[in-house]
Amino acid sequence: MTLMGILFKSISVDVYRSLISNNPDAIFLLDEHGNILDTNMAVTDLFGYSSAELKKMSNTSIVVPDSDYDVRQLFVKTIGGDSCTYQASAYHKNGQVIHLQVKNVPMVDNQKLVGVMVVAKDVTDLVDTKMALQEASERLRSFYESSADAMDIMDLNGNVLAVNLAFEKMYGWKAEELIGKPMPTIPKERWKSVNERREKVTNNHYIKGLEVDCLKKDGSSIEVSITISPLHDESGNVIAFSGISRDISERKKWEVALLESKSKYKSLLNDSPEPIYVHSKGVIRYANDVAIKMFGYQNPIELLGRKILDFIHADSVELVRDRIRRAAIDSDFPKEMMELKMLRTDRSSFIAEATFLGIDYEDEPAIQVIFRDISERKVIEEALIRSEEKYRLIADNMTDLVSIVDANGVFKYVSPSYFPLLGFPAESYEGAIAFDNVHPEDLTSLHETFNYLLSTKESDSLEFRIKHKTKNFIWVEAKVSFFIDEENGSEHLLIVAREIGERKVLQEKLKEMAFHDELTGLPNRRLFQEKMEQTIKEAKRRNRKCALLYIDIDKFKWVNDQLGHNIGDKLLKQFSERVMSCLRKSDILARQGGDEFLVLLPEIDDEENGQTCAERIVESLQHPWVIDEDTFTTTSSIGIAVYPKDGLTMDELMTNADRALYEGKKNGRNTFKTYS
């Protein structure tokens, strides 16, 4: 029998109603005609209608019609006794469309269908994110496959993970011949330099415009320009390399031809499929037909003689100015590739990937620029990154754990979310004792809370650890509510819990910082005062005694001044260890500040117990200290105050122990004295 079957069989409508009212998902109760009988508060929060408005409506009146599903047919199917789950869209009261994950469940009483429960979970953000991610991914994949440039992805060992169609066409290998194998396009004589470059990329460097000879499948070589970029995982670690290679064989031929005959220069550039312009002293001297159209002009007369900075966006002006300055100084201006933002004549902008080369143009130093518009690629990449981040944020959210426990501590119901969060199937909890899943250290307090809520019929919040399949135990925060099954009068607790592991770690760190001395690790004054207040209350209730010892290190200032603060700090640590060795497990040692320490002795039989402890401490401190290369001795003075003789409050005991310490110092130090 399923958990839901057990729930309906063993728990009354009142239990069911309690589950509904506390459920974060929207829940409708419908009659057999589809009319809305009742809803929980989550429905109003999600759809904007009041409970009264909803009861005048049918479930189909707020659902968006869609060819992918038929709400009426699904309802009829549920009336026939079959549960069904589907995706649907609905209208908010304000007209906004909400995307939902819906489950129809038949409600049966004594084997008779009495209605349908519809559970609707808001997945609008998830649907929108998936659509955006799918669209961005499809655009990116389309760009990857349709790119004229050869693209490849390799793992950190140089093995091929993926190549695009342009790569297959350029080099002659099919993807299935390459996947999982070393990249065959690299000549052996370049392996060493390739490994060195990969090491740089692993350290988050980028290699742009590297011009090299590569091998094709038929054994011939091809001149390419390669850009290599690191690929990262969600933690920012480099996990692979992305390579983009462009065939520059024709361009190389042009360059050779230019060296052989300057007269052919303009003709060759005009035949180039890529935009090219030449500027000298910041003025455009030449542009091929493709570049002229890219800038938004019809003929070269409109463009030539214009300042190149007129076509550079403000974000990239300083970068281009630097190139112009360097070209003026260095006649052998090296080839460089960069990304910059450029402008058309209508002042619209685009992102360009440009290669700058220092040349001589008509016997003057000039810069030749070959560029291409990569705006669409940048938009796709940025859109994909934003979509992935949003998708991860949604996917990382966890669902609350919902369960019902009867008065005997037996699970009567657990939600399906138990499985993804704890690793155990929901069915495994059927009829099990809830306390069997709780950490042993938390059992006592949980039993007390459990019994308290059953007796007072109240609600409470608490934290405890529950069993996890692989993590042993995890911390959860739970809200526990009492209710009575009105049908049979049995008592139950409804528990809604969520994991708080990270929060507990942070709390423990903050608690450690707030309540413990940073140097010695001992409880600080704040924690000590809390413990002392508790001890005094317990002593008063049980009519017992307790003692406070106030200790300081005689002439501690001399140690700091003569041997240094580093030795002084180490002395405080070793002093703490010696004093601790003289105490019982139930005693508490704390650092008051500086060289002052406090000892709390709970549950002593008489005043002599405090004196005996002080005597042991004084005796232990007679042995020399050996710290680094220094050996020296110190003494200590101790003042003792006993509850209730020397004070009934913490402040009275602290004051009187301090007075006793002062009296001890006046009598020669290296001793203890009780308050009198």
Side-chain angles (χ1 to χ4, degrees), residues 173-418:
W173 279 282
K174 295 294 183 182
E176 54 266 27
E177 298 176 287
L178 300 175
I179 304 301
K181 299 176 182 178
M183 180 63 75
T185 63
I186 305 170
K188 290 184 178 180
E189 61 268 21
R190 286 207 354 260
W191 283 358
K192 181 179 179 180
S193 61
V194 168
N195 289 332
E196 291 174 351
R197 290 190 178 98
R198 284 179 185 161
E199 185 67 24
K200 290 183 178 180
V201 177
T202 304
N203 293 321
N204 280 315
H205 291 278
Y206 290 77
I207 297 175
K208 292 186 176 181
L210 175 66
E211 296 184 0
V212 293
D213 290 333
C214 287
L215 297 176
K216 300 174 72 172
K217 186 178 181 179
D218 61 8
S220 61
S221 63
I222 179 174
E223 293 179 284
V224 298
S225 173
I226 296 180
T227 295
I228 304 175
S229 307
L231 297 179
H232 304 86
D233 62 13
E234 295 181 11
S235 302
N237 302 312
V238 176
I239 58 172
F241 308 118
S242 170
I244 302 176
S245 53
R246 183 183 305 168
D247 184 355
I248 59 171
S249 303
E250 289 298 318
R251 196 184 81 194
K252 283 295 185 180
K253 291 179 182 178
W254 301 339
E255 292 177 357
V256 171
L258 285 173
L259 294 175
E260 295 175 348
S261 175
K262 291 184 179 180
S263 63
K264 297 181 180 179
Y265 178 71
K266 292 183 180 180
S267 175
L268 289 169
L269 295 187
N270 275 329
D271 291 336
S272 169
E274 295 184 305
I276 300 175
Y277 67 88
V278 176
H279 65 86
S280 176
K281 298 179 181 178
V283 176
I284 298 176
R285 304 291 300 279
Y286 167 81
N288 67 357
D289 293 339
V290 183
I292 292 169
K293 292 180 180 179
M294 181 73 77
F295 284 122
Y297 292 97
Q298 299 299 318
N299 60 73
I301 297 176
E302 298 173 296
L303 183 62
L304 299 184
R306 298 280 300 272
K307 293 181 180 180
I308 186 58
L309 292 181
D310 291 344
F311 302 93
I312 305 298
H313 192 277
D315 294 348
S316 302
V317 164
E318 283 305 315
L319 204 57
V320 175
R321 279 179 176 162
D322 178 66
R323 296 296 187 276
I324 296 173
R325 284 193 293 265
R326 290 171 58 188
I329 297 172
D330 186 0
S331 59
D332 295 323
F333 182 70
K335 182 184 298 184
E336 291 183 270
M337 177 179 285
M338 58 176 286
E339 289 182 8
L340 68 157
K341 201 170 184 179
M342 303 187 74
L343 299 171
R344 301 181 182 89
T345 183
D346 61 2
R347 313 319 292 164
S348 61
S349 64
F350 63 97
I351 305 297
E353 186 180 75
T355 299
F356 292 74
L357 178 65
I359 63 170
D360 286 332
Y361 184 80
E362 295 181 351
D363 298 324
E364 289 185 2
I367 299 175
Q368 173 187 283
V369 181
I370 304 174
F371 66 104
R372 62 197 302 245
D373 185 352
I374 61 169
S375 301
E376 183 177 357
R377 188 183 81 189
K378 299 295 288 186
V379 169
I380 291 172
E381 291 173 348
E382 291 172 4
L384 180 61
I385 290 171
R386 289 194 299 270
S387 296
E388 286 178 339
E389 289 175 346
K390 187 177 181 183
Y391 179 79
R392 291 191 198 108
L393 180 62
I394 294 171
D396 285 345
N397 285 315
M398 293 178 292
T399 305
D400 289 348
L401 301 171
V402 180
S403 61
I404 292 177
V405 178
D406 67 13
N408 297 316
V410 176
F411 276 121
K412 307 303 292 184
Y413 168 80
V414 297
S415 61
S417 53
Y418 267 69

Side-chain angles (χ1 to χ4, degrees), residues 425-456:
E427 291 79 5
S428 67
Y429 294 92
E430 292 183 19
I433 301 298
F435 297 108
D436 292 345
N437 297 279
V438 177
H439 193 284
E441 294 179 3
D442 301 329
L443 279 174
T444 301
S445 61
L446 196 61
H447 272 295
E448 291 175 353
T449 302
F450 183 86
N451 294 328
Y452 173 78
L453 296 179
L454 288 174
S455 63
T456 61

Side-chain angles (χ1 to χ4, degrees), residues 117-174:
M117 178 174 69
V118 179
V119 182
K121 185 179 186 66
D122 184 4
V123 293
T124 303
D125 285 345
L126 182 59
V127 170
D128 291 345
T129 298
K130 283 184 176 179
M131 292 175 62
L133 179 62
Q134 182 178 358
E135 180 182 350
S137 298
E138 289 174 355
R139 292 176 64 190
L140 186 61
R141 178 171 293 278
S142 175
F143 166 77
Y144 186 82
E145 292 300 340
S146 63
S147 172
D149 293 333
M151 297 184 177
D152 62 85
I153 299 175
M154 292 188 293
D155 65 20
L156 299 183
N157 297 318
N159 297 317
V160 179
L161 299 176
V163 297
N164 68 348
L165 295 176
F167 186 100
E168 295 180 345
K169 184 177 179 181
M170 181 183 295
Y171 292 104
W173 279 282
K174 295 294 183 182

